[in-house]
Amino acid sequence: MGESLVAANPVAAQYIQGLADDALVYAQRLGEWISRAPQIEEDMALGNVGLDLLGQARALLTRVGELDGTGRSEDDLAYFRDEREFRNVHLVEQERDGFGFEMARLLTFSTWQCELYAALRRSSDPVLAGVAEKALKEVTYHRDHATQWVLRLGDGTDESHRRMQEGLESVAPYVTELFDDDEAARAAADTGIGVLPSTLHEACTARIAAVVAQATLELPETPRWRSRGGRDGIHSRPMGYLLAEMQHIARSHPGASW
């Protein structure tokens, strides 16, 4: 598909913005682990995962600015949008909790990203396909890193097993939202630009279930409550605090460079 045709497609922009916001917001959360991880090597590892996600967000937000016709830059989109304009899922905006929670979240999110980017390599949008091709290598590492920690903690001591199981239970209410087929995703899938999230569910669940079983843990039962609405700009309480910290400098000194 020619770039000029895609450039006139606001639906594609809305779909890609959701993926960009997922990566941007989770990068911010992972940055909070610097100096707080259980090992100095893990400080560096989680920081590098966050930087990978930030790189994905930059490329995707730049594409959004080209597609939506506003000409906004990646910085405009990252720092000068209000909470209701962000389209990320609730999973990535939740406050940093224990290390077990973070590994459960990273395993879930990176497994979903692996399936997503593998499919998006065939996107009719050449920029999105290129981002997916590069990002797939990164998120495969993220998934493997989280897998090793889940195995180590789950099959470790009684205490590490308990905390890892609690992490899986805490993440469970936010998993289903990743596979919701929102209006933008349906439209993007119809034009070959995107992929229906629901089509990723079976492969993701099978992969995570295998890791959980090998770690001698139990996959949580379907929770009574589940998150929803992130793709429509409806967010949970932690999102406002996250954006305040992430956007503070840029909004306090608009136009500044360093």
Side-chain angles (χ1 to χ4, degrees):
M1 183 173 291
E3 184 171 344
S4 60
L5 180 58
V6 175
N9 191 342
V11 173
Q14 191 175 25
Y15 171 71
I16 296 172
Q17 184 186 319
L19 308 184
D21 288 344
D22 288 342
L24 177 65
V25 171
Y26 197 23
Q28 179 74 11
R29 280 288 180 233
L30 287 170
E32 297 173 355
W33 278 100
I34 303 298
S35 80
R36 295 182 175 87
Q39 302 171 347
I40 191 170
E41 292 87 351
E42 195 59 22
D43 278 348
M44 299 172 65
L46 290 180
N48 284 327
V49 171
L51 287 174
D52 287 343
L53 294 178
L54 187 60
Q56 295 165 23
R58 292 186 61 185
L60 293 171
L61 287 176
T62 297
R63 189 56 171 163
V64 171
E66 295 169 349
L67 290 167
D68 68 4
T70 64
R72 288 178 293 180
S73 69
E74 58 184 85
D75 283 353
D76 294 332
L77 290 163
Y79 298 128
F80 297 99
R81 281 185 293 150
D82 295 329
E83 180 178 327
R84 288 298 301 267
E85 297 176 275
F86 276 77
R87 292 178 45 79
N88 56 277
V89 294
H90 286 216
L91 174 67
V92 297
E93 71 194 36
Q94 298 310 303
E95 292 174 317
R96 178 175 55 83
D97 201 338
F99 192 68
F101 170 84
E102 199 59 72
M103 289 304 102
R105 173 159 62 175
L106 183 59
L107 176 66
T108 301
F109 186 71
S110 60
T111 300
W112 173 77
Q113 277 198 314
C114 280
E115 298 298 329
L116 172 72
Y117 284 137
L120 288 180
R121 290 182 299 174
R122 298 184 292 276
S123 171
S124 59
D125 181 88
V127 175
L128 182 56
V131 172
E133 184 71 38
K134 179 178 182 297
L136 182 59
K137 300 173 185 174
E138 298 170 345
V139 299
T140 299
Y141 164 77
H142 303 167
R143 183 192 63 189
D144 293 344
H145 184 77
T147 295
Q148 291 307 311
W149 270 111
V150 171
L151 294 175
R152 187 185 304 178
L153 296 174
D155 199 21
T157 65
D158 290 344
E159 181 67 9
S160 70
H161 180 94
R162 180 184 67 79
R163 294 192 182 195
M164 193 61 244
Q165 185 65 47
E166 287 180 352
L168 292 171
E169 301 285 349
S170 297
V171 163
Y174 303 101
V175 175
T176 304
E177 187 182 4
L178 288 166
F179 306 104
D180 284 345
D181 292 337
D182 63 294
E183 184 177 348
R186 289 193 186 96
D190 286 345
T191 56
I193 293 172
V195 56
L196 271 181
S198 60
T199 63
L200 310 175
H201 183 266
E202 183 175 352
C204 286
T205 301
R207 174 84 188 195
I208 293 171
V211 174
V212 168
Q214 188 178 351
T216 71
L217 297 161
E218 294 183 5
L219 203 62
E221 295 181 359
T222 303
R224 293 184 178 179
W225 174 87
R226 50 150 296 190
S227 65
R228 65 183 77 237
R231 299 291 189 217
D232 295 323
I234 301 171
H235 297 286
S236 54
R237 181 190 59 80
M239 184 65 174
Y241 295 98
L242 181 147
L243 290 180
E245 183 170 340
M246 188 179 80
Q247 298 179 333
H248 170 68
I249 296 295
R251 289 194 177 226
S252 299
H253 307 281
S257 60
W258 54 86

